[in-house]
Structures are given as structure tokens and as C-alpha cells.
Amino acid sequence: MSKDHNYLTTLKERGYRITPQREMIIKTIARNPTHFTADEIHTKIQTRVHSLNIATVYRTLELLVEEGMVCRSDFGEGHIIYAPEDHGPHIHLVCRQCNQVIDADSTLAHSLKEKMQEKYQFALDLHHLAVFGLCSACQKGEEHHES
Amino acid sequence: MSKDHNYLTTLKERGYRITPQREMIIKTIARNPTHFTADEIHTKIQTRVHSLNIATVYRTLELLVEEGMVCRSDFGEGHIIYAPEDHGPHIHLVCRQCNQVIDADSTLAHSLKEKMQEKYQFALDLHHLAVFGLCSACQKGEEHHES
DNA sequence: TTTCTAGTTGCGAATATTTGCAGTAACGAT
DNA sequence: ATCGTTACTGCAAATATTCGCAACTAGAAA
Ligand SMILES: [Mn+2]
Ligand SMILES: [Mn+2]
Ligand SMILES: [Zn+2]
Ligand SMILES: [Zn+2]
């Protein structure tokens, strides 16, 4: 059974209505293997159908996040990206200089997660965590700086 | 010598002009011991003087961040906060449920930083890092959820 | 003191995202 | 097949932040 079909069936089981808008959005997401923005989804659909409002895209993505089908990462600077849940949990290393995003192994943060739970009773969410810094290329180009 | 005076002198030394707007903003920040938003600074000044545009506040904060006097944390959801640099480096644990922010010891992330440098040659910035999850109170109130 | 000019400001517009509200339509129940 | 409830949508306005541009002025130079 295809992924979009699964999503739609699950939503219906949970009491949500299946609208043409939701169908289009979910089918577009299911075809997409990687990260995407709300606007990318909207634009892709608009090339064929014109009657889809961007607010509906945002609301549907919000729903899919709540229902655990999509995950959302906020990269700051007003840049939010989404990914299918099966894209897998990992850390996004966002370069402050060139805006490149590196997908890093989220198990590397397990010890941090444990420490936060111990010291602050805070349950750190490692699912598509975004952290900032400098990629290797940009580190090299930063020698003209006070140490 | 007071902090605001230091900031102003340093800016001038580095070739920036000291305008009344920058003076007001810097004095307001220097009096503030903790985190603040651009709007809070703007509002505080507006109660006395009316001729200060919010865009100028943002631009001045951006300048102070670049010059290393203020640091900026993006908490997502369009929520940016600033703090004086001497507020000290630490991790912000942002609760997804109640939006509470806990200041956590940033040395707890040193091993993560090392791992990221080794595996991805990425220099993680631990200065006012923001990470998301659930605080202890909100963890307790989350038992009605599929495990 | 006056002049000059590049750095700075205010304003309005643009950006991405969220929200209120009135109208529409999905779908369970007749 | 029709109806009624209420979840959902489109639209326009609100939000926070950024940006282009014309007007202004800090501060160096004359
Ligand atoms: Mn990813
Ligand atoms: Mn802090
Ligand atoms: Zn980079
Ligand atoms: Zn909480």
C-alpha cells in the first residue's frame, strides 16, 4: 500500500475529513523523498490546480506534524522546513555563513539528552534538531577575525 | 567605567557613528541584566521618546551582535531574543508545550561539539544554543499519548 | 564655523507564517 | 438521494523581521 494512501486512511480513521486539498498535499509530500518548504509544496500543486491557498498548506502540514506523519525543523531566520517522518531522525547542522544544511547522526546527541534529563528533568527532542555553527569550508575562510 | 560607556567607546573606535538612537538603545540594554526582545527595547524607549523606529532597533541589535556585544538566540516560531554577551554562554531549553525557557550549562554540550567537529568538520556554536523538548511539568501532563 | 560625504535613519513595502471569520463542503445519518 | 452538523477552506488582516530607498546627520576636514 502506498504511503499517501496510508496517510489518508490514517487521518480518516482518526476522524479527520479527506478534502481534495489534503489529498493533493499528501500525494505531493509522499512523492517527495526529502526536505521541503510549505511554499515548494504549494507551488508544485499550483502548476496544475490553481485553487489552493497557502494557508491551507500550512494548516495541513501542521496537522501532519501533530499526527506524527511529518516533522518540522525551524532553522531560524524565518526558515521552516518539513520532511516525511521516515526521513529519519537526525540533527541538522546549519552553517551560519553559507546556510548549507548537513544531516548529522542524531545518536551523537544521546549523551546530551541524558544529561539534560538528569540535571534539568528536560526531555530533549532529538528529532530533526537544528543547531548552528560553521561548516568546514567556512571555518577556513574565517581566519581574519580576532581570536 | 559603565557598560554602556564601554560599548559606545568601542563602537566609535571601530569606526561606527554614535547616534542618539544608538545611545538610547545601548543604555537601555546596559541597564537590562537578562534576555530581551527587540520590541521590549523599543517599547521601553518609546515611553520617553517617540522618534525611534523599530527597524533601527533591529539594525542596532544586529550591529551589536556582529561586534560581539550582544548575542542572539532564535527560538523558532518567529521568536528571537537577545542578551548581553556577559549573560554568559548557555543552552536554552525551550519547552514545546508551555514555552518556558530554562538556562542550561553549555559545558554539557562540549562532547557533542567535539563529535560534530570530528565527524563532520562542523564547528558547533554553543553560545546561546536553543534546543526544544518538554520540561518536567509538561512531561507529566503527556501520559495520554501513544508511546 | 561651515562644508562635505558616507554612514545611518525612518518609512513603507516585502517576507514567511499565523489567525479570525464567514462561507463551503465532507460525510454520517436519515 | 437529501440533509445537517461542524470541520475545513479561502481570504484578508495581523505578526515579527528584513530590506530598498530617499532624506538626514555625525563627525572629519577645511
Ligand atoms: Mn534532514
Ligand atoms: Mn540565556
Ligand atoms: Zn558554511
Ligand atoms: Zn513545559
Side-chain angles (χ1 to χ4, degrees):
Chain A
M1 192 143 36
S2 57
K3 190 155 81 174
D4 55 336
H5 189 87
N6 259 330
Y7 284 178
L8 290 165
T9 313
T10 308
L11 282 186
K12 192 157 196 180
E13 277 169 16
R14 296 186 186 171
Y16 296 102
R17 294 183 185 170
I18 306 308
T19 64
Q21 290 90 339
R22 284 181 178 169
E23 262 189 75
M24 291 190 289
I25 293 168
I26 286 173
K27 281 181 176 155
T28 307
I29 290 173
R31 259 188 248 114
N32 191 309
T34 179
H35 305 161
F36 51 85
T37 64
D39 193 60
E40 278 164 18
I41 296 296
H42 184 234
T43 304
K44 238 170 224 167
I45 294 174
Q46 288 272 34
T47 60
R48 293 182 297 109
V49 192
H50 269 247
S51 56
L52 174 64
N53 195 276
I54 184 72
T56 303
V57 176
Y58 278 111
R59 278 188 285 227
T60 301
L61 289 172
E62 193 187 3
L63 173 67
L64 295 173
V65 170
E66 278 164 13
E67 296 304 318
M69 295 156 184
V70 160
C71 68
R72 169 190 158 129
S73 312
D74 196 317
F75 287 178
E77 322 273 316
H79 206 189
I80 295 177
I81 62 143
Y82 301 85
E85 190 70 5
D86 58 14
H87 177 59
H90 54 248
I91 300 176
H92 290 119
L93 306 176
V94 184
C95 180
R96 279 225 163 80
Q97 195 84 50
C98 67
N99 294 315
Q100 177 190 181
V101 178
I102 299 168
D103 279 350
D105 180 5
S106 76
T107 62
L108 295 176
H110 279 163
S111 81
L112 179 68
K113 185 181 162 79
E114 278 164 25
K115 285 177 199 157
M116 290 309 170
Q117 183 68 58
E118 275 168 38
K119 267 198 98 154
Y120 305 99
Q121 291 77 53
F122 185 90
L124 187 52
D125 182 6
L126 295 184
H127 218 85
H128 286 81
L129 176 67
V131 297
F132 298 85
L134 284 181
C135 74
S136 62
C138 293
Q139 281 173 64
K140 283 163 196 156
E142 282 267 312
E143 260 110 51
H144 35 78
H145 232 253
E146 89 283 72
S147 63
Chain B
M1 193 140 40
S2 57
K3 189 156 81 172
D4 55 334
H5 189 87
N6 260 327
Y7 285 176
L8 289 166
T9 314
T10 307
L11 282 186
K12 191 158 197 178
E13 277 169 18
R14 297 187 185 170
Y16 297 101
R17 294 187 185 166
I18 306 308
T19 63
Q21 291 90 337
R22 286 181 176 168
E23 264 190 73
M24 289 190 291
I25 293 168
I26 287 173
K27 281 181 176 155
T28 308
I29 290 172
R31 260 187 248 114
N32 190 311
T34 179
H35 306 161
F36 51 86
T37 64
D39 192 61
E40 279 164 17
I41 295 297
H42 184 233
T43 303
K44 236 169 223 168
I45 294 174
Q46 288 273 34
T47 60
R48 291 182 298 110
V49 192
H50 270 247
S51 57
L52 173 64
N53 194 276
I54 185 72
T56 302
V57 176
Y58 279 110
R59 279 189 285 229
T60 301
L61 288 173
E62 193 186 3
L63 172 68
L64 295 173
V65 170
E66 277 163 14
E67 296 305 317
M69 295 157 183
V70 160
C71 67
R72 169 191 158 127
S73 311
D74 196 317
F75 287 178
E77 323 273 316
H79 206 188
I80 296 177
I81 63 143
Y82 302 84
E85 190 71 5
D86 60 12
H87 176 59
H90 55 247
I91 301 177
H92 291 119
L93 306 176
V94 184
C95 180
R96 280 225 162 82
Q97 195 85 50
C98 67
N99 294 313
Q100 178 190 181
V101 177
I102 299 168
D103 280 350
D105 180 4
S106 77
T107 62
L108 296 177
H110 279 163
S111 81
L112 180 68
K113 185 181 163 80
E114 278 165 23
K115 285 177 199 159
M116 290 307 169
Q117 184 67 59
E118 277 169 36
K119 266 197 99 155
Y120 305 99
Q121 290 77 53
F122 186 91
L124 187 53
D125 182 6
L126 295 184
H127 217 87
H128 285 81
L129 175 67
V131 296
F132 298 86
L134 284 182
C135 74
S136 61
C138 293
Q139 281 173 63
K140 283 165 197 155
E142 282 267 314
E143 263 111 51
H144 37 77
H145 232 255
E146 87 286 70
S147 61

